[in-house]
Amino acid sequence: MASSQKKGDAHSSHKRTPRKDRRRGPRRSIFASRLTRAIFLSNLLGLIILIGGALTMHRVQDELILEKQENLRTLSATISQIMADSATGYGLSAQLDEDKAKSVLRGVNLPDDWRVRLHDRSGLLLADSARLEDGITMSALDPIVEDPPEPEWQDVWRDKIFTWTKDTLHALPWRVRERERMRRDLKADIRNSLNGDVTAAAYYTDEDALIVSVSEPVRRVQQVLGVITLETDPIDDLVTVERKALAPIMGLAILASLLSSLALTLFIALPMRRLARAAELVGRSRKKKDAIPDLSRRRDEIGDLSVVMADMTAGLYDRIDDIANFAADVAHEIKNPLTSLRSASDTLRGARTKAQREKLLDIIENDVARMDRLISDISKASKVDANLAKDVAETVDVTEILANLAGFYNQSHVDGMANVAFDEASVSQPLFIRAFEAPFAQVLRNLIDNALTFSPAGSTVTLRAEGIEDLSGGRPQKRVVITVEDEGPGIPQGNLETVFDRFYTERPRGAQFGSHSGLGLAICRQIVTAHKGYIYAENKADKDTAATGARFIINLPRQTRGGAPSAPRRS
Protein backbone atom coordinates (compact mmCIF):
# COMPACT_ATOMS: atom_id res chain seq x y z
CA MET A 1 0.00 0.00 0.00
CA ALA A 2 2.80 2.37 0.97
CA SER A 3 4.76 1.65 -2.18
CA SER A 4 1.74 2.19 -4.40
CA GLN A 5 1.06 5.45 -2.61
CA LYS A 6 4.63 6.57 -3.22
CA LYS A 7 4.31 5.63 -6.88
CA GLY A 8 1.09 7.61 -7.07
CA ASP A 9 2.75 10.61 -5.44
CA ALA A 10 5.69 10.35 -7.80
CA HIS A 11 3.36 10.09 -10.77
CA SER A 12 1.34 13.09 -9.64
CA SER A 13 4.49 15.13 -9.04
CA HIS A 14 5.63 14.14 -12.52
CA LYS A 15 2.36 15.45 -13.94
CA ARG A 16 2.66 18.72 -12.04
CA THR A 17 6.14 19.51 -13.32
CA PRO A 18 5.11 20.60 -16.88
CA ARG A 19 2.52 22.96 -15.39
CA LYS A 20 5.17 24.68 -13.27
CA ASP A 21 7.41 24.93 -16.30
CA ARG A 22 4.59 26.56 -18.25
CA ARG A 23 4.08 29.12 -15.48
CA ARG A 24 7.71 30.08 -15.73
CA GLY A 25 7.51 30.27 -19.50
CA PRO A 26 6.39 33.89 -19.99
CA ARG A 27 9.24 35.13 -17.75
CA ARG A 28 12.02 33.67 -19.90
CA SER A 29 14.38 35.98 -21.73
CA ILE A 30 13.23 37.09 -25.16
CA PHE A 31 16.41 35.65 -26.69
CA ALA A 32 15.77 32.32 -24.93
CA SER A 33 12.34 32.12 -26.53
CA ARG A 34 11.82 29.26 -28.96
CA LEU A 35 9.75 31.56 -31.17
CA THR A 36 12.61 34.07 -31.38
CA ARG A 37 15.09 31.33 -32.18
CA ALA A 38 12.77 29.92 -34.81
CA ILE A 39 12.44 33.35 -36.45
CA PHE A 40 16.18 33.92 -36.56
CA LEU A 41 17.00 30.40 -37.72
CA SER A 42 14.35 30.41 -40.43
CA ASN A 43 15.68 33.71 -41.78
CA LEU A 44 19.31 32.71 -41.50
CA LEU A 45 19.02 29.19 -42.90
CA GLY A 46 18.47 30.24 -46.49
CA LEU A 47 21.10 32.94 -46.10
CA ILE A 48 23.64 30.44 -44.78
CA ILE A 49 23.00 28.15 -47.73
CA LEU A 50 23.39 31.09 -50.12
CA ILE A 51 26.62 32.27 -48.50
CA GLY A 52 28.00 28.74 -48.31
CA GLY A 53 27.33 28.23 -51.98
CA ALA A 54 28.92 31.57 -52.83
CA LEU A 55 32.00 30.79 -50.76
CA THR A 56 32.52 27.34 -52.20
CA MET A 57 31.80 28.39 -55.79
CA HIS A 58 32.26 24.85 -57.05
CA ARG A 59 30.58 25.52 -60.37
CA VAL A 60 32.85 28.46 -61.21
CA GLN A 61 35.85 26.47 -60.09
CA ASP A 62 34.90 23.40 -62.14
CA GLU A 63 34.30 25.45 -65.28
CA LEU A 64 37.63 27.18 -64.77
CA ILE A 65 39.39 23.85 -64.37
CA LEU A 66 37.86 22.47 -67.58
CA GLU A 67 38.86 25.58 -69.49
CA LYS A 68 42.42 25.40 -68.17
CA GLN A 69 42.66 21.70 -69.06
CA GLU A 70 41.67 22.36 -72.66
CA ASN A 71 44.20 25.16 -72.99
CA LEU A 72 46.96 23.11 -71.40
CA ARG A 73 46.29 20.06 -73.56
CA THR A 74 46.40 22.13 -76.74
CA LEU A 75 49.60 23.87 -75.69
CA SER A 76 51.29 20.70 -74.43
CA ALA A 77 50.42 18.85 -77.64
CA THR A 78 52.02 21.64 -79.68
CA ILE A 79 55.18 21.71 -77.56
CA SER A 80 55.43 17.92 -77.64
CA GLN A 81 55.20 17.87 -81.43
CA ILE A 82 57.90 20.52 -81.83
CA MET A 83 60.27 18.72 -79.49
CA ALA A 84 59.65 15.41 -81.24
CA ASP A 85 60.52 16.99 -84.58
CA SER A 86 63.76 18.42 -83.16
CA ALA A 87 64.84 15.09 -81.63
CA THR A 88 67.90 13.30 -83.05
CA GLY A 89 68.07 9.79 -84.49
CA TYR A 90 65.43 7.28 -85.38
CA GLY A 91 64.18 4.01 -83.96
CA LEU A 92 65.86 2.81 -80.79
CA SER A 93 68.65 5.39 -81.20
CA ALA A 94 66.24 8.33 -81.20
CA GLN A 95 66.71 10.73 -78.27
CA LEU A 96 65.83 14.27 -77.23
CA ASP A 97 68.21 17.10 -77.96
CA GLU A 98 68.46 18.89 -74.59
CA ASP A 99 69.73 22.19 -76.01
CA LYS A 100 67.07 22.36 -78.68
CA ALA A 101 64.41 21.38 -76.08
CA LYS A 102 65.48 24.27 -73.84
CA SER A 103 65.43 26.57 -76.82
CA VAL A 104 61.88 25.48 -77.59
CA LEU A 105 60.81 26.11 -73.99
CA ARG A 106 62.37 29.58 -74.09
CA GLY A 107 60.39 30.35 -77.19
CA VAL A 108 57.04 29.39 -75.65
CA ASN A 109 55.05 32.45 -74.53
CA LEU A 110 53.61 31.26 -71.22
CA PRO A 111 51.34 33.31 -68.94
CA ASP A 112 52.84 34.48 -65.66
CA ASP A 113 53.28 31.76 -63.02
CA TRP A 114 52.72 28.98 -65.55
CA ARG A 115 55.35 26.26 -65.58
CA VAL A 116 56.50 23.66 -68.10
CA ARG A 117 58.97 20.82 -67.45
CA LEU A 118 60.60 18.20 -69.66
CA HIS A 119 61.60 14.74 -68.42
CA ASP A 120 63.46 12.11 -70.45
CA ARG A 121 62.40 8.51 -70.85
CA SER A 122 64.05 7.59 -67.54
CA GLY A 123 62.11 10.28 -65.64
CA LEU A 124 65.06 12.65 -65.17
CA LEU A 125 64.37 16.39 -65.41
CA LEU A 126 65.96 17.86 -68.51
CA ALA A 127 64.46 21.35 -68.61
CA ASP A 128 62.31 23.57 -66.42
CA SER A 129 60.84 26.90 -67.49
CA ALA A 130 61.26 28.20 -63.95
CA ARG A 131 65.09 27.76 -64.24
CA LEU A 132 65.72 28.70 -67.82
CA GLU A 133 66.16 32.43 -67.16
CA ASP A 134 69.64 32.19 -65.63
CA GLY A 135 71.04 35.39 -67.14
CA ILE A 136 71.44 38.79 -65.52
CA THR A 137 69.05 41.50 -66.59
CA MET A 138 69.96 45.15 -66.04
CA SER A 139 67.31 47.82 -65.88
CA ALA A 140 66.68 51.15 -64.25
CA LEU A 141 65.47 51.20 -60.69
CA ASP A 142 61.93 52.23 -59.96
CA PRO A 143 61.53 55.78 -58.68
CA ILE A 144 61.40 56.23 -54.92
CA VAL A 145 57.81 56.79 -53.74
CA GLU A 146 56.47 57.82 -50.41
CA ASP A 147 54.91 55.28 -48.06
CA PRO A 148 51.41 54.40 -49.17
CA PRO A 149 48.60 55.82 -47.05
CA GLU A 150 47.04 53.73 -44.31
CA PRO A 151 44.07 51.72 -45.58
CA GLU A 152 40.58 52.64 -44.44
CA TRP A 153 39.26 50.80 -41.38
CA GLN A 154 36.40 49.37 -43.46
CA ASP A 155 38.92 47.73 -45.81
CA VAL A 156 40.98 46.43 -42.90
CA TRP A 157 37.98 44.82 -41.22
CA ARG A 158 36.69 43.46 -44.50
CA ASP A 159 40.06 41.81 -45.19
CA LYS A 160 40.18 40.41 -41.64
CA ILE A 161 36.68 38.98 -41.90
CA PHE A 162 37.37 37.52 -45.31
CA THR A 163 40.67 35.99 -44.17
CA TRP A 164 39.05 34.50 -41.09
CA THR A 165 36.21 33.06 -43.17
CA LYS A 166 38.63 31.65 -45.73
CA ASP A 167 40.83 30.04 -43.05
CA THR A 168 37.77 28.61 -41.26
CA LEU A 169 36.43 27.04 -44.43
CA HIS A 170 39.89 25.86 -45.37
CA ALA A 171 40.21 23.98 -42.07
CA LEU A 172 36.91 22.15 -42.35
CA PRO A 173 37.44 18.36 -42.09
CA TRP A 174 35.81 17.56 -45.40
CA ARG A 175 37.96 20.19 -47.11
CA VAL A 176 41.09 18.64 -45.56
CA ARG A 177 40.05 15.18 -46.75
CA GLU A 178 39.38 16.53 -50.24
CA ARG A 179 42.84 18.11 -50.45
CA GLU A 180 44.50 14.89 -49.34
CA ARG A 181 42.54 12.93 -51.92
CA MET A 182 43.59 15.36 -54.69
CA ARG A 183 47.21 15.66 -53.58
CA ARG A 184 49.54 15.68 -56.59
CA ASP A 185 51.85 12.73 -57.37
CA LEU A 186 54.15 13.99 -60.16
CA LYS A 187 56.09 10.77 -60.45
CA ALA A 188 52.91 8.77 -61.05
CA ASP A 189 51.83 11.19 -63.78
CA ILE A 190 55.25 10.88 -65.49
CA ARG A 191 55.10 7.06 -65.38
CA ASN A 192 51.62 7.09 -66.95
CA SER A 193 52.76 9.43 -69.71
CA LEU A 194 55.88 7.32 -70.42
CA ASN A 195 53.44 4.49 -71.04
CA GLY A 196 51.79 6.62 -73.70
CA ASP A 197 48.86 8.09 -71.72
CA VAL A 198 47.93 11.76 -71.40
CA THR A 199 47.25 12.80 -67.81
CA ALA A 200 45.17 15.94 -67.21
CA ALA A 201 43.62 16.82 -63.83
CA ALA A 202 43.40 19.35 -61.01
CA TYR A 203 45.73 18.79 -58.05
CA TYR A 204 46.64 20.31 -54.72
CA THR A 205 50.32 21.04 -54.26
CA ASP A 206 52.24 20.57 -51.05
CA GLU A 207 51.46 24.22 -50.25
CA ASP A 208 47.68 23.44 -50.60
CA ALA A 209 47.43 25.46 -53.82
CA LEU A 210 44.99 24.16 -56.45
CA ILE A 211 46.55 23.89 -59.91
CA VAL A 212 45.73 22.25 -63.23
CA SER A 213 48.42 19.99 -64.68
CA VAL A 214 48.77 18.11 -67.99
CA SER A 215 51.44 15.50 -68.68
CA GLU A 216 51.91 14.77 -72.41
CA PRO A 217 54.27 12.13 -73.85
CA VAL A 218 56.82 13.30 -76.48
CA ARG A 219 56.55 10.83 -79.36
CA ARG A 220 58.77 10.27 -82.37
CA VAL A 221 56.70 7.97 -84.55
CA GLN A 222 55.53 5.45 -81.92
CA GLN A 223 58.45 5.77 -79.54
CA VAL A 224 58.07 7.85 -76.31
CA LEU A 225 61.19 9.98 -75.88
CA GLY A 226 60.11 12.00 -72.81
CA VAL A 227 57.26 13.76 -71.01
CA ILE A 228 56.12 17.37 -71.14
CA THR A 229 54.45 18.53 -67.90
CA LEU A 230 52.56 21.80 -68.09
CA GLU A 231 50.84 23.38 -65.04
CA THR A 232 48.97 26.60 -64.36
CA ASP A 233 49.19 29.15 -61.58
CA PRO A 234 46.97 28.50 -58.48
CA ILE A 235 43.29 28.67 -59.37
CA ASP A 236 42.45 29.58 -55.76
CA ASP A 237 43.58 33.14 -56.43
CA LEU A 238 40.98 33.60 -59.17
CA VAL A 239 38.23 32.11 -57.00
CA THR A 240 39.32 34.33 -54.12
CA VAL A 241 38.91 37.42 -56.30
CA GLU A 242 35.37 36.32 -57.18
CA ARG A 243 34.58 35.73 -53.53
CA LYS A 244 35.84 39.17 -52.57
CA ALA A 245 33.62 40.68 -55.23
CA LEU A 246 30.61 38.94 -53.61
CA ALA A 247 31.55 40.00 -50.07
CA PRO A 248 29.58 43.32 -50.08
CA ILE A 249 26.48 41.57 -51.41
CA MET A 250 26.79 38.89 -48.73
CA GLY A 251 27.18 41.57 -46.07
CA LEU A 252 24.00 43.30 -47.24
CA ALA A 253 22.19 39.96 -47.26
CA ILE A 254 23.29 39.25 -43.68
CA LEU A 255 22.21 42.72 -42.56
CA ALA A 256 18.81 42.36 -44.26
CA SER A 257 18.30 38.95 -42.66
CA LEU A 258 19.16 40.25 -39.19
CA LEU A 259 16.89 43.27 -39.59
CA SER A 260 14.07 41.05 -40.82
CA SER A 261 14.52 38.70 -37.86
CA LEU A 262 14.61 41.63 -35.45
CA ALA A 263 11.45 43.12 -36.96
CA LEU A 264 9.61 39.80 -36.74
CA THR A 265 10.75 39.43 -33.13
CA LEU A 266 9.53 42.92 -32.24
CA PHE A 267 6.20 42.57 -34.02
CA ILE A 268 5.43 38.91 -33.23
CA ALA A 269 7.50 37.47 -30.38
CA LEU A 270 7.33 40.50 -28.08
CA PRO A 271 3.53 41.02 -28.39
CA MET A 272 2.99 37.31 -27.81
CA ARG A 273 5.26 37.59 -24.78
CA ARG A 274 3.22 40.52 -23.46
CA LEU A 275 0.00 38.59 -23.91
CA ALA A 276 1.47 35.56 -22.14
CA ARG A 277 2.64 37.65 -19.19
CA ALA A 278 -0.69 39.44 -18.99
CA ALA A 279 -2.52 36.10 -19.02
CA GLU A 280 -0.26 34.94 -16.20
CA LEU A 281 -1.07 38.05 -14.15
CA VAL A 282 -4.77 37.62 -14.79
CA GLY A 283 -4.59 34.01 -13.64
CA ARG A 284 -2.89 35.03 -10.40
CA SER A 285 -5.07 37.91 -9.26
CA ARG A 286 -8.55 39.19 -10.03
CA LYS A 287 -7.26 42.73 -9.57
CA LYS A 288 -5.27 42.29 -12.79
CA LYS A 289 -8.24 41.35 -14.95
CA ASP A 290 -7.61 44.46 -17.12
CA ALA A 291 -3.94 43.53 -17.67
CA ILE A 292 -4.53 42.17 -21.19
CA PRO A 293 -2.98 44.79 -23.53
CA ASP A 294 -5.16 46.26 -26.24
CA LEU A 295 -3.40 45.54 -29.54
CA SER A 296 -6.44 46.00 -31.74
CA ARG A 297 -4.78 48.89 -33.60
CA ARG A 298 -2.41 46.37 -35.22
CA ARG A 299 -5.29 45.13 -37.39
CA ASP A 300 -3.78 41.67 -37.68
CA GLU A 301 -4.12 38.24 -36.06
CA ILE A 302 -2.22 39.24 -32.92
CA GLY A 303 -4.49 42.25 -32.51
CA ASP A 304 -7.50 39.99 -32.91
CA LEU A 305 -6.00 37.63 -30.34
CA SER A 306 -5.62 40.44 -27.80
CA VAL A 307 -9.24 41.48 -28.30
CA VAL A 308 -10.46 37.90 -27.95
CA MET A 309 -8.33 37.35 -24.84
CA ALA A 310 -9.65 40.56 -23.27
CA ASP A 311 -13.25 39.60 -24.05
CA MET A 312 -12.64 36.08 -22.79
CA THR A 313 -11.12 37.38 -19.55
CA ALA A 314 -13.97 39.82 -19.00
CA GLY A 315 -16.52 37.10 -19.74
CA LEU A 316 -14.72 34.68 -17.42
CA TYR A 317 -14.76 37.10 -14.50
CA ASP A 318 -18.34 38.05 -15.23
CA ARG A 319 -19.17 34.36 -15.09
CA ILE A 320 -17.28 33.99 -11.81
CA ASP A 321 -19.15 36.96 -10.33
CA ASP A 322 -22.41 35.59 -11.67
CA ILE A 323 -21.73 32.20 -10.10
CA ALA A 324 -20.90 33.82 -6.76
CA ASN A 325 -24.07 35.92 -6.85
CA PHE A 326 -26.09 32.94 -7.96
CA ALA A 327 -24.78 30.88 -5.04
CA ALA A 328 -25.66 33.67 -2.61
CA ASP A 329 -29.17 33.99 -4.06
CA VAL A 330 -29.69 30.23 -3.94
CA ALA A 331 -28.62 30.11 -0.30
CA HIS A 332 -31.00 32.94 0.52
CA GLU A 333 -33.96 31.41 -1.31
CA ILE A 334 -33.44 27.94 0.18
CA LYS A 335 -33.08 29.41 3.65
CA ASN A 336 -36.66 30.75 3.63
CA PRO A 337 -38.46 27.39 3.25
CA LEU A 338 -35.97 25.79 5.61
CA THR A 339 -36.80 28.39 8.25
CA SER A 340 -40.51 27.76 7.70
CA LEU A 341 -39.95 24.00 7.96
CA ARG A 342 -38.04 24.36 11.20
CA SER A 343 -40.71 26.59 12.70
CA ALA A 344 -43.52 24.26 11.65
CA SER A 345 -41.69 21.16 12.92
CA ASP A 346 -41.00 22.83 16.28
CA THR A 347 -44.62 23.92 16.58
CA LEU A 348 -45.83 20.45 15.59
CA ARG A 349 -44.34 19.01 18.76
CA GLY A 350 -46.64 21.16 20.90
CA ALA A 351 -49.81 20.87 18.79
CA ARG A 352 -52.68 19.67 20.92
CA THR A 353 -55.50 19.25 18.43
CA LYS A 354 -55.76 17.27 15.26
CA ALA A 355 -56.71 20.40 13.30
CA GLN A 356 -53.52 22.17 14.38
CA ARG A 357 -51.41 19.16 13.41
CA GLU A 358 -53.11 18.92 10.01
CA LYS A 359 -52.48 22.61 9.38
CA LEU A 360 -48.80 22.32 10.33
CA LEU A 361 -48.40 19.20 8.18
CA ASP A 362 -49.88 21.12 5.20
CA ILE A 363 -47.34 23.89 5.78
CA ILE A 364 -44.50 21.36 5.91
CA GLU A 365 -45.75 19.65 2.75
CA ASN A 366 -46.00 23.00 0.89
CA ASP A 367 -42.50 24.00 1.99
CA VAL A 368 -41.06 20.66 0.87
CA ALA A 369 -42.79 21.01 -2.52
CA ARG A 370 -41.52 24.58 -2.75
CA MET A 371 -37.94 23.43 -2.03
CA ASP A 372 -38.24 20.63 -4.57
CA ARG A 373 -39.48 23.04 -7.24
CA LEU A 374 -36.81 25.57 -6.31
CA ILE A 375 -34.00 23.02 -6.51
CA SER A 376 -35.30 21.71 -9.85
CA ASP A 377 -35.39 25.23 -11.33
CA ILE A 378 -31.95 26.01 -9.91
CA SER A 379 -30.61 22.84 -11.53
CA LYS A 380 -32.13 23.85 -14.87
CA ALA A 381 -30.72 27.37 -14.62
CA SER A 382 -27.24 26.10 -13.79
CA LYS A 383 -27.26 23.71 -16.76
CA VAL A 384 -28.37 26.23 -19.38
CA ASP A 385 -24.85 27.24 -20.43
CA ALA A 386 -23.63 23.64 -20.48
CA ASN A 387 -26.59 22.53 -22.59
CA LEU A 388 -26.10 25.40 -25.02
CA ALA A 389 -22.42 24.46 -25.40
CA LYS A 390 -23.34 20.86 -26.25
CA ASP A 391 -26.30 21.67 -28.49
CA VAL A 392 -26.09 22.35 -32.23
CA ALA A 393 -27.58 25.45 -33.83
CA GLU A 394 -29.91 24.98 -36.76
CA THR A 395 -32.21 27.00 -38.96
CA VAL A 396 -35.53 27.61 -37.20
CA ASP A 397 -38.72 28.85 -38.83
CA VAL A 398 -40.08 31.39 -36.32
CA THR A 399 -43.57 31.36 -37.86
CA GLU A 400 -43.83 27.59 -37.62
CA ILE A 401 -42.63 27.32 -34.02
CA LEU A 402 -44.99 30.10 -32.82
CA ALA A 403 -47.94 28.49 -34.58
CA ASN A 404 -47.09 25.09 -33.07
CA LEU A 405 -46.84 26.56 -29.56
CA ALA A 406 -50.19 28.35 -29.89
CA GLY A 407 -51.82 25.13 -31.08
CA PHE A 408 -50.29 23.15 -28.20
CA TYR A 409 -51.55 25.54 -25.52
CA ASN A 410 -55.02 25.68 -27.05
CA GLN A 411 -55.23 21.88 -27.15
CA SER A 412 -54.30 21.66 -23.47
CA HIS A 413 -56.55 24.59 -22.51
CA VAL A 414 -58.12 24.44 -19.03
CA ASP A 415 -61.21 26.35 -17.96
CA GLY A 416 -60.33 29.54 -16.15
CA MET A 417 -57.11 30.07 -18.15
CA ALA A 418 -56.43 32.60 -20.87
CA ASN A 419 -56.25 31.62 -24.54
CA VAL A 420 -53.05 31.68 -26.64
CA ALA A 421 -53.27 33.06 -30.18
CA PHE A 422 -50.70 33.56 -32.91
CA ASP A 423 -51.23 36.68 -34.99
CA GLU A 424 -50.28 35.36 -38.43
CA ALA A 425 -51.17 38.73 -39.98
CA SER A 426 -48.05 40.21 -38.32
CA VAL A 427 -45.83 37.98 -40.46
CA SER A 428 -45.46 39.41 -43.97
CA GLN A 429 -42.48 37.31 -45.08
CA PRO A 430 -40.69 34.08 -44.09
CA LEU A 431 -38.68 34.55 -40.90
CA PHE A 432 -35.75 32.28 -40.10
CA ILE A 433 -33.19 32.48 -37.34
CA ARG A 434 -30.15 30.44 -36.39
CA ALA A 435 -30.96 28.97 -32.97
CA PHE A 436 -30.76 26.05 -30.58
CA GLU A 437 -34.26 24.74 -31.07
CA ALA A 438 -35.00 23.21 -27.64
CA PRO A 439 -33.64 26.13 -25.53
CA PHE A 440 -35.33 28.66 -27.85
CA ALA A 441 -38.65 26.86 -27.45
CA GLN A 442 -38.09 26.91 -23.68
CA VAL A 443 -37.79 30.71 -23.80
CA LEU A 444 -41.12 31.02 -25.57
CA ARG A 445 -42.80 28.57 -23.18
CA ASN A 446 -41.49 30.45 -20.14
CA LEU A 447 -42.83 33.73 -21.53
CA ILE A 448 -46.20 32.21 -22.39
CA ASP A 449 -46.48 30.53 -18.95
CA ASN A 450 -45.58 33.81 -17.28
CA ALA A 451 -48.20 35.66 -19.35
CA LEU A 452 -50.88 33.05 -18.53
CA THR A 453 -50.15 33.51 -14.83
CA PHE A 454 -51.02 37.21 -14.98
CA SER A 455 -53.86 36.96 -17.54
CA PRO A 456 -57.48 36.88 -16.33
CA ALA A 457 -59.82 34.09 -17.44
CA GLY A 458 -61.17 34.53 -20.94
CA SER A 459 -58.40 36.92 -22.02
CA THR A 460 -55.87 36.23 -24.78
CA VAL A 461 -52.08 35.91 -24.84
CA THR A 462 -51.02 37.04 -28.30
CA LEU A 463 -47.86 35.91 -30.13
CA ARG A 464 -46.44 38.07 -32.94
CA ALA A 465 -43.33 38.09 -35.15
CA GLU A 466 -41.99 40.52 -37.72
CA GLY A 467 -38.81 41.24 -39.62
CA ILE A 468 -37.14 44.62 -39.19
CA GLU A 469 -33.99 46.38 -40.33
CA ASP A 470 -31.86 47.71 -37.49
CA LEU A 471 -29.82 50.83 -38.31
CA SER A 472 -28.49 51.53 -34.82
CA GLY A 473 -25.09 49.98 -35.52
CA GLY A 474 -24.37 52.22 -38.50
CA ARG A 475 -24.79 49.36 -40.94
CA PRO A 476 -28.21 47.87 -41.71
CA GLN A 477 -28.80 44.56 -39.94
CA LYS A 478 -31.78 42.33 -40.50
CA ARG A 479 -33.44 41.26 -37.25
CA VAL A 480 -36.46 39.27 -36.11
CA VAL A 481 -38.70 40.67 -33.35
CA ILE A 482 -40.93 38.23 -31.41
CA THR A 483 -43.60 39.62 -29.07
CA VAL A 484 -45.59 37.93 -26.29
CA GLU A 485 -48.47 40.12 -25.02
CA ASP A 486 -50.99 39.53 -22.24
CA GLU A 487 -54.02 41.43 -20.92
CA GLY A 488 -53.07 41.38 -17.27
CA PRO A 489 -52.31 44.21 -14.84
CA GLY A 490 -48.93 44.93 -16.39
CA ILE A 491 -45.58 45.36 -14.69
CA PRO A 492 -44.83 48.10 -12.16
CA GLN A 493 -42.93 50.81 -14.01
CA GLY A 494 -39.89 50.51 -11.77
CA ASN A 495 -39.66 46.75 -12.23
CA LEU A 496 -39.45 46.49 -16.04
CA GLU A 497 -35.81 45.47 -15.73
CA THR A 498 -36.00 43.81 -12.31
CA VAL A 499 -38.36 41.09 -13.55
CA PHE A 500 -35.37 39.48 -15.29
CA ASP A 501 -33.44 39.17 -12.04
CA ARG A 502 -33.12 35.78 -10.44
CA PHE A 503 -35.74 34.83 -7.83
CA TYR A 504 -37.98 37.78 -8.66
CA THR A 505 -41.34 36.38 -7.52
CA GLU A 506 -43.88 39.19 -7.43
CA ARG A 507 -47.17 37.44 -8.22
CA PRO A 508 -50.72 38.66 -8.80
CA ARG A 509 -53.25 38.51 -6.01
CA GLY A 510 -54.69 35.08 -5.45
CA ALA A 511 -51.64 33.20 -6.72
CA GLN A 512 -50.33 30.54 -4.40
CA PHE A 513 -47.22 31.62 -2.51
CA GLY A 514 -44.14 29.68 -3.49
CA SER A 515 -45.64 28.25 -6.66
CA HIS A 516 -42.95 29.99 -8.77
CA SER A 517 -39.19 30.08 -8.25
CA GLY A 518 -38.59 33.39 -10.01
CA LEU A 519 -36.01 31.88 -12.41
CA GLY A 520 -38.10 31.64 -15.59
CA LEU A 521 -37.42 35.12 -16.96
CA ALA A 522 -33.78 35.01 -15.84
CA ILE A 523 -33.33 31.80 -17.84
CA CYS A 524 -35.01 33.48 -20.83
CA ARG A 525 -32.52 36.34 -20.81
CA GLN A 526 -29.62 33.89 -20.42
CA ILE A 527 -30.69 31.88 -23.46
CA VAL A 528 -31.52 34.90 -25.62
CA THR A 529 -28.12 36.45 -24.85
CA ALA A 530 -26.47 33.20 -25.95
CA HIS A 531 -28.28 33.63 -29.29
CA LYS A 532 -26.68 37.10 -29.69
CA GLY A 533 -30.01 38.78 -29.05
CA TYR A 534 -31.68 40.70 -26.26
CA ILE A 535 -35.00 40.67 -24.43
CA TYR A 536 -36.86 43.42 -22.58
CA ALA A 537 -40.29 44.15 -21.17
CA GLU A 538 -42.76 47.03 -21.52
CA ASN A 539 -46.37 47.77 -20.69
CA LYS A 540 -49.25 48.15 -23.10
CA ALA A 541 -51.23 51.30 -22.49
CA ASP A 542 -54.66 52.62 -23.46
CA LYS A 543 -55.60 56.15 -24.40
CA ASP A 544 -55.43 57.21 -20.76
CA THR A 545 -51.91 55.74 -20.47
CA ALA A 546 -53.19 53.11 -18.09
CA ALA A 547 -51.51 49.70 -18.27
CA THR A 548 -53.59 47.15 -20.14
CA GLY A 549 -51.09 44.32 -20.05
CA ALA A 550 -47.41 43.41 -20.32
CA ARG A 551 -45.40 42.89 -23.48
CA PHE A 552 -42.15 40.90 -23.66
CA ILE A 553 -40.04 41.54 -26.77
CA ILE A 554 -37.23 39.30 -28.13
CA ASN A 555 -34.86 40.75 -30.73
CA LEU A 556 -32.67 38.22 -32.59
CA PRO A 557 -30.42 38.25 -35.69
CA ARG A 558 -32.26 37.10 -38.77
CA GLN A 559 -30.88 34.46 -41.08
CA THR A 560 -31.08 35.65 -44.67
CA ARG A 561 -29.31 32.63 -46.22
CA GLY A 562 -30.19 28.96 -46.10
CA GLY A 563 -33.84 29.26 -45.40
CA ALA A 564 -35.48 26.09 -44.08
CA PRO A 565 -35.57 24.06 -40.86
CA SER A 566 -34.19 21.12 -42.80
CA ALA A 567 -31.03 23.04 -43.77
CA PRO A 568 -27.72 21.38 -42.80
CA ARG A 569 -26.77 21.93 -39.18
CA ARG A 570 -23.58 23.58 -38.12
CA SER A 571 -21.96 24.11 -34.76
Side-chain angles (χ1 to χ4, degrees), residues 501-554:
D501 293 343
R502 286 190 296 265
F503 305 111
Y504 178 85
T505 56
E506 184 173 333
R507 296 287 113 187
R509 292 181 181 179
Q512 184 181 2
F513 175 76
S515 59
H516 298 273
S517 62
L519 290 172
L521 294 180
I523 293 175
C524 289
R525 170 163 285 184
Q526 190 177 1
I527 296 175
V528 171
T529 303
H531 285 79
K532 303 186 183 302
Y534 54 91
I535 181 174
Y536 60 96
E538 63 183 23
N539 286 321
K540 297 192 301 181
D542 57 11
K543 295 180 180 179
D544 299 329
T545 66
T548 60
R551 179 186 294 119
F552 287 87
I553 301 171
I554 303 174

Side-chain angles (χ1 to χ4, degrees), residues 163 407 410 449:
T163 302
N410 290 329
D449 291 340

